[in-house]
Amino acid sequence: VKTETITAFAKRFNLSRSTLLYYDRIGLLKPGGKSDTGYRLYNEADAERMQRIDTFRKAGLSLKAIKEIMATNADDSVEVALEHRLACLNEEMADLKAQQHLVVQLLQRRGRNPRQHGVDVFQWVKMLEEAGMDEQARRRWHMSFERDAPEAHDQFLKSLGLSDTEVAEIRGLSSGDWAGDEPE
Amino acid sequence: VKTETITAFAKRFNLSRSTLLYYDRIGLLKPGGKSDTGYRLYNEADAERMQRIDTFRKAGLSLKAIKEIMATNADDSVEVALEHRLACLNEEMADLKAQQHLVVQLLQRRGRNPRQHGVDVFQWVKMLEEAGMDEQARRRWHMSFERDAPEAHDQFLKSLGLSDTEVAEIRGLSSGDWAGDEPE
DNA sequence: GTCACCTTGACGTTGCGTAATTGTGA
DNA sequence: CTCACAATTACGCAACGTCAAGGTGA
């Protein structure tokens, strides 16, 4: 049987070692076995259990609640469907959280550069890229910004010093590249 | 000037008294004034500050981070636009969280009724209603369930004992009322 | 023997909730 | 006088992070 030590297992699920130690302590996820020297060894069954735990965690359930669910559950098709649905919701939430994170980053940077009152488009794009946003992500950002809060979007773009026509383009009232690529 | 005591103020923002006490202690939101007997008195300026705090909190920021942002921020139009955007994102998140909550409730109830293996539509609808879901909400639920995970949706509905035609109707491949109202 | 890994504690952190004890005001 | 409010102080909680003091193995 294939087994992993705690740190390797943690990395697979993007968790920290101490998190797994904690889960072991509270009895949420005990490793399948231990080496003769006391090292925790996690197997594939543990991985599956961990996967489900992860889903529930992302849904905001407490560890205690998760423990209870996992204890009483014989997984028939209803559970499977619901858990699938839950996983989808979690993905959508992750998307939104990423956007939130971005907005917050922008606000924080503004706070830390109080003297820089007039920022231009290029600086903003640079900041967005540093924050891990590529062009496609920027397009999506503008689309949902426009959908949710068109006038705030307009105000925001104008505050960057863009002309009315440029603003209109970005807001989707026209088409074509913007953001400094092929300014033609 | 209009002022409120702590509990009244807390209710307006759906917070607990102790939360406000805590915010005062850490210097995040000090009341505008105090009565001669030491009662905290909150005014409209406090309310506006609280509103912003709430927005940032819903975005998942730590109280410390919020404090820093609010300290350095002179609010020009960029901040206003970004904060507006943030508020929108928070609303969307709240929607998704409500859905998550629902799914979780359903899973938990299943866990607590392990003997009830075959549940029918009526029981489900009853459970959904107990969870605070009206018919309109149920429609929305099915629409997004179908959009995100059509085959899980199908599986789920069939597991409730619905016929293929009924399933098709609910999934939007047809139209009309379902869920037991006016069964013809 | 070195070094990166593992072990079990114990204590620190955040954002409050709760309980105890006491003062205020209609 | 009573009763719902206010105050402060203090301890408790989840879900970890972190640090200490030591074993393990390539």
Side-chain angles (χ1 to χ4, degrees):
Chain A
V1 282
K2 253 179 96 174
T3 57
E4 284 173 318
T5 58
I6 191 168
T7 310
F9 192 74
K11 266 178 196 149
R12 270 179 57 185
F13 289 94
N14 227 5
L15 295 172
S16 75
R17 198 182 80 99
S18 45
T19 299
L20 289 176
L21 289 176
Y22 182 61
Y23 286 4
D24 187 357
R25 247 179 43 206
I26 64 172
L28 177 58
L29 181 67
K30 300 254 181 218
K34 289 205 180 189
S35 80
D36 43 4
T37 54
Y39 285 19
R40 271 160 263 252
L41 295 176
Y42 293 86
N43 58 36
E44 278 312 305
D46 297 328
E48 282 180 35
R49 187 178 169 88
M50 187 63 231
Q51 192 57 257
R52 295 186 62 207
I53 291 175
D54 201 43
T55 300
F56 288 128
R57 278 258 58 204
K58 282 175 183 158
L61 280 174
S62 74
L63 299 185
K64 197 173 147 194
I66 295 176
K67 206 175 147 187
E68 283 172 21
I69 288 186
M70 313 257 299
T72 57
N73 238 11
D75 55 354
D76 53 43
S77 62
V78 184
E79 258 88 26
V80 173
L82 287 176
E83 286 189 23
H84 186 113
R85 169 75 174 134
L86 196 52
C88 287
L89 285 172
N90 291 339
E91 266 189 57
E92 285 185 58
M93 299 263 308
D95 258 36
L96 285 182
K97 272 185 190 165
Q99 290 207 28
Q100 271 190 346
H101 189 78
L102 239 153
V103 176
V104 162
Q105 289 247 334
L106 294 177
L107 280 166
Q108 281 175 333
R109 299 213 187 194
R110 300 258 332 145
R112 275 201 284 280
N113 298 7
R115 66 197 174 286
Q116 218 169 18
H117 222 72
V119 202
D120 63 17
V121 211
F122 299 100
Q123 289 176 305
W124 273 100
V125 172
K126 209 179 107 203
M127 284 164 62
L128 291 171
E129 276 168 351
E130 280 171 22
M133 216 181 180
D134 61 3
E135 213 220 299
Q136 208 183 6
R138 265 173 287 157
R139 268 181 208 281
R140 281 205 312 265
W141 144 282
H142 281 291
M143 282 187 54
S144 59
F145 200 160
E146 181 64 24
R147 174 169 51 80
D148 289 348
E151 96 259 8
H153 192 197
D154 186 272
Q155 192 183 13
F156 170 74
L157 292 171
K158 278 180 182 157
S159 81
L160 292 180
L162 295 173
S163 72
D164 287 5
T165 40
E166 288 170 316
V167 168
E169 271 188 30
I170 295 174
R171 291 182 59 193
L173 313 174
S174 174
S175 66
D177 256 334
W178 42 279
D181 301 337
E182 312 164 15
E184 173 53 21
Chain B
V1 283
K2 253 180 96 174
T3 57
E4 284 172 319
T5 59
I6 190 166
T7 309
F9 192 73
K11 266 177 195 151
R12 269 180 56 185
F13 289 94
N14 226 5
L15 295 172
S16 75
R17 198 182 82 100
S18 47
T19 299
L20 289 177
L21 289 176
Y22 182 62
Y23 287 3
D24 187 357
R25 246 179 47 207
I26 65 172
L28 177 59
L29 181 67
K30 298 256 180 219
K34 289 205 178 186
S35 80
D36 44 3
T37 55
Y39 284 20
R40 272 161 262 251
L41 295 176
Y42 294 87
N43 57 37
E44 277 313 303
D46 297 329
E48 282 181 35
R49 187 178 170 87
M50 187 61 233
Q51 193 56 257
R52 296 187 60 206
I53 292 175
D54 201 44
T55 300
F56 289 127
R57 278 257 57 203
K58 281 175 185 159
L61 282 174
S62 74
L63 299 185
K64 199 172 146 193
I66 295 175
K67 205 176 149 187
E68 284 173 20
I69 289 186
M70 313 255 301
T72 58
N73 240 10
D75 55 353
D76 53 44
S77 63
V78 183
E79 257 90 26
V80 173
L82 287 176
E83 285 189 23
H84 185 114
R85 169 71 174 140
L86 194 53
C88 288
L89 285 172
N90 290 341
E91 267 190 56
E92 286 185 57
M93 298 264 309
D95 260 34
L96 285 183
K97 271 186 192 165
Q99 290 208 28
Q100 270 190 345
H101 190 76
L102 237 154
V103 176
V104 162
Q105 290 247 335
L106 295 176
L107 281 166
Q108 281 175 333
R109 299 213 186 192
R110 299 261 327 148
R112 278 202 282 280
N113 298 8
R115 67 199 174 284
Q116 218 169 17
H117 224 71
V119 202
D120 64 17
V121 213
F122 300 100
Q123 290 176 305
W124 274 100
V125 171
K126 209 179 109 204
M127 283 163 64
L128 291 172
E129 276 168 351
E130 282 171 20
M133 217 179 178
D134 62 2
E135 212 220 301
Q136 208 183 7
R138 267 175 285 157
R139 267 182 208 282
R140 279 205 313 264
W141 143 283
H142 281 291
M143 282 188 55
S144 59
F145 201 160
E146 180 65 23
R147 174 168 52 80
D148 290 347
E151 98 258 9
H153 192 198
D154 187 272
Q155 192 183 13
F156 170 74
L157 292 170
K158 277 178 182 157
S159 80
L160 292 181
L162 295 173
S163 73
D164 286 4
T165 40
E166 288 170 314
V167 168
E169 270 188 32
I170 295 174
R171 290 183 60 195
L173 312 173
S174 174
S175 68
D177 255 334
W178 42 279
D181 301 338
E182 312 165 15
E184 168 62 18

